[in-house]
């Protein structure tokens, strides 16, 4: 998860193509932080279900900020997969309303639905799709790439106005956390195009192909950190001289499923019965991350909004269900938690000073 190559004797070099071996041999020097609080926004992965956190943030912009970008109200934004795309948009100064429009207007191009069929034809169509997906990814990345190109153009990661922390993993199955240049150690990632960072974190196995950046190949960070809240919290605590009790966190989910053992799992317990183990593991790791963050900063300084315990959760590629069901759920969550949310959106946070890249010379 380390960030840099460096000429400093304190940092080990990164072998070509293997980023995660570039470790600092000593504790990371902490930068000073003013006495006021540090605010973190964390956004889960979840494919087209990113409509849910985008809706909540859009409502916050409309009701608390006069339509300006929600990203400016946080000192750091951590985002995984679809949450990483939202984080990148906010970091570039775009509004949640603009990002939500990308999902609602173009989600059916990114995840095109299968033609509707009836009766036996529908069953045959389903099994044909499953069989086809055994041997190749379900979707082409071209539609998503096209929309990201329109959104970010040639902008590089170092142009983000917010500190960003975005997970992925590489072809060596090593975890990677792509970070903006908010610490002197973070010398590499700022040069990556925002489009490439977005495609790297959202390349969900079986759904979209891995994404190549130079000599490295990346896949979806949701496999190991679908809820990135602890990545943001650990990065804040290691980069800055912070009192953890002065950190406040808003953590937004994309809708999780109901986690219960099935009768088949309890009686038989074979591979077929546990075929959804990856999704279960992702949900459990998300619960763990939230629990750890809540313990560290205190329950009164931690706000988590999600749709738990859905017996039939929306698949991450089901555009029709997501665009129909999630906006009203986002409205409900906003209204039920309006007072808590308002405390996060009472004005912009100071811009961070970049150590490298196009913003490094900015005041």
């Amino acid at each position: 998860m380390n960030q840099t190559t460096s000429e400093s004797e304190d940092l080990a070099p990164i072998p070509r193509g293997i980023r995660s071996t570039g470790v600092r041999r000593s504790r990371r020097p902490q930068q000073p932080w003013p006495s006021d609080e540090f605010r973190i926004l964390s956004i889960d992965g979840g494919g087209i279900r990113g409509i849910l956190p985008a809706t909540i943030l859009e409502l916050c912009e409309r009701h608390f900020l006069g339509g300006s970008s929600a990203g400016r109200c946080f000192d750091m934004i951590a985002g995984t997969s679809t949450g990483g795309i939202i984080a990148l948009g906010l970091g570039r100064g775009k509004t949640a309303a603009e990002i939500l429009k990308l999902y609602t207007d173009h989600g059916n191009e990114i995840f095109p639905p299968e033609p509707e069929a009836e009766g036996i034809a529908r069953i045959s169509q389903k099994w044909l799709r499953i069989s086809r997906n055994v041997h190749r990814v379900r979707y082409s990345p071209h539609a998503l790439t096209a929309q990201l190109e329109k959104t970010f153009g040639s902008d590089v990661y170092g142009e983000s106005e917010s500190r960003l922390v975005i997970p992925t993993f590489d072809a060596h199955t090593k975890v990677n956390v792509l970070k903006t240049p908010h610490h002197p150690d973070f010398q590499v990632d700022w040069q990556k195009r925002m489009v490439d960072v977005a495609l790297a974190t959202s390349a969900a196995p079986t759904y979209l192909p891995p994404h190549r950046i130079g000599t490295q190949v990346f896949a979806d960070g949701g496999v190991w950190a679908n809820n990135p809240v602890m990545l943001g919290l650990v990065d804040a605590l290691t980069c800055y001289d912070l009192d953890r009790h002065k950190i406040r966190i808003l953590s937004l989910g994309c809708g999780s499923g109901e986690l219960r053992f099935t009768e088949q799992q309890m009686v038989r317990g074979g591979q077929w019965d546990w075929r959804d183990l990856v999704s279960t593991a992702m949900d459990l790791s998300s619960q763990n991350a939230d629990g750890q963050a809540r313990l560290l900063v205190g329950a009164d300084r931690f706000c988590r909004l999600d749709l738990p315990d859905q017996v039939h959760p929306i698949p991450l590629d089901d555009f029709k269900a997501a665009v129909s069901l999630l906006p009203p759920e986002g409205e409900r969550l906003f209204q039920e938690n309006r007072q808590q949310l308002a405390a996060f959106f009472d004005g912009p946070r100071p811009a961070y000073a970049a150590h490298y890249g196009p913003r490094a010379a900015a005041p």
Side-chain angles (χ1 to χ4, degrees):
M1 291 189 294
N2 296 284
Q3 185 67 16
T4 67
T5 53
S6 173
E7 294 179 348
S8 167
E9 61 182 13
D10 201 32
L11 294 178
I14 302 176
R16 180 178 177 84
I18 305 178
R19 160 202 181 88
S20 59
T21 51
V23 296
R24 171 175 276 283
R25 296 190 182 99
S26 64
R27 182 179 176 182
R28 177 173 293 153
Q30 291 176 299
Q31 302 171 105
W33 186 258
S35 58
D36 69 335
E37 68 181 14
F38 190 100
R39 295 182 188 175
I40 299 173
L41 171 62
S42 175
I43 311 171
D44 287 14
I48 195 61
R49 300 195 309 259
I51 287 173
L52 180 66
T55 296
I56 294 169
L57 291 170
E58 185 276 326
L59 290 166
C60 291
E61 290 175 345
R62 194 192 321 164
H63 291 275
F64 304 138
L65 301 174
S68 62
S69 176
R72 295 171 183 154
C73 295
F74 295 89
D75 298 296
M76 179 176 288
I77 306 174
T80 298
S81 193
T82 196
I85 293 173
I86 297 171
L88 285 160
L90 295 175
R92 201 62 188 98
K94 298 186 182 301
T95 64
E98 292 175 282
I99 302 166
L100 179 60
K101 190 172 175 62
L102 184 154
Y103 285 86
T104 57
D105 288 3
H106 302 285
N108 60 339
E109 300 165 22
I110 298 166
F111 298 118
E114 293 281 344
E116 292 291 339
E118 299 294 335
I120 295 176
R122 183 173 184 177
I123 297 172
S124 300
Q125 182 187 74
K126 177 182 177 180
W127 283 105
L128 178 63
R129 182 170 65 249
I130 292 172
S131 175
R132 188 170 61 237
N133 196 215
V134 166
H135 300 288
R136 61 176 182 264
V137 294
R138 193 170 299 179
Y139 300 104
S140 164
H142 297 316
L144 176 58
T145 302
Q147 292 308 317
L148 293 173
E149 293 279 4
K150 289 179 184 178
T151 302
F152 299 115
S154 60
D155 294 349
V156 296
Y157 200 31
E159 292 180 83
S160 172
E161 298 166 17
S162 304
R163 300 170 186 84
L164 300 182
V165 175
I166 296 178
T168 182
F169 74 96
D170 64 27
H172 302 274
T173 61
K174 303 294 184 182
V175 299
N176 286 246
V177 182
L178 309 180
K179 301 175 184 178
T180 48
H182 52 271
H183 190 280
D185 280 2
F186 303 162
Q187 300 176 28
V188 174
D189 291 335
W190 71 264
Q191 303 169 70
K192 294 178 173 62
R193 292 194 314 151
M194 285 190 164
V195 170
D196 286 322
V197 174
L199 290 170
T201 191
S202 60
T206 77
Y207 289 91
L208 292 164
H211 182 67
R212 182 179 294 277
I213 306 177
T215 61
Q216 292 182 300
V217 180
F218 297 96
D220 194 335
V223 170
W224 67 277
N226 201 55
N227 178 345
V229 64
M230 280 301 295
L231 300 182
L233 180 54
V234 168
D235 192 75
L237 289 170
T238 54
C239 286
Y240 299 98
D241 186 11
L242 271 173
D243 178 351
R244 61 189 172 94
H245 300 102
K246 292 185 177 179
I247 297 174
R248 201 135 54 88
I249 299 173
L250 174 59
S251 175
L252 301 179
C254 293
S256 56
E258 185 179 51
L259 297 178
R260 292 184 182 179
F261 289 160
T262 66
E263 186 69 25
Q264 291 80 5
Q265 287 168 339
M266 291 187 286
V267 173
R268 295 196 303 256
Q271 290 184 2
W272 177 255
D273 303 312
W274 285 95
R275 62 192 180 277
D276 291 329
L277 183 60
V278 171
S279 297
T280 301
M282 289 166 63
D283 283 340
L284 291 171
S285 68
S286 176
Q287 292 178 36
N288 182 55
D290 275 338
Q292 290 175 327
R294 188 180 287 108
L295 284 170
L296 283 168
V297 305
D300 60 328
R301 303 186 68 80
F302 184 90
C303 177
R304 170 73 172 176
L305 302 186
D306 198 6
L307 301 177
D309 300 330
Q310 299 173 88
V311 177
H312 301 292
I314 299 170
L316 65 81
D317 59 343
D318 191 339
F319 170 78
K320 185 176 180 180
V323 79
S324 171
L325 301 175
L326 292 180
E329 290 292 348
E331 174 80 37
R332 180 182 63 78
L333 286 169
F334 172 80
Q335 295 297 346
E336 290 177 355
N337 298 275
R338 182 171 182 144
Q339 186 173 351
Q340 268 188 296
L341 287 167
F344 287 96
F345 297 95
D346 57 359
R349 304 296 293 165
Y352 86 92
H355 291 275
Y356 312 101
R359 292 187 63 255

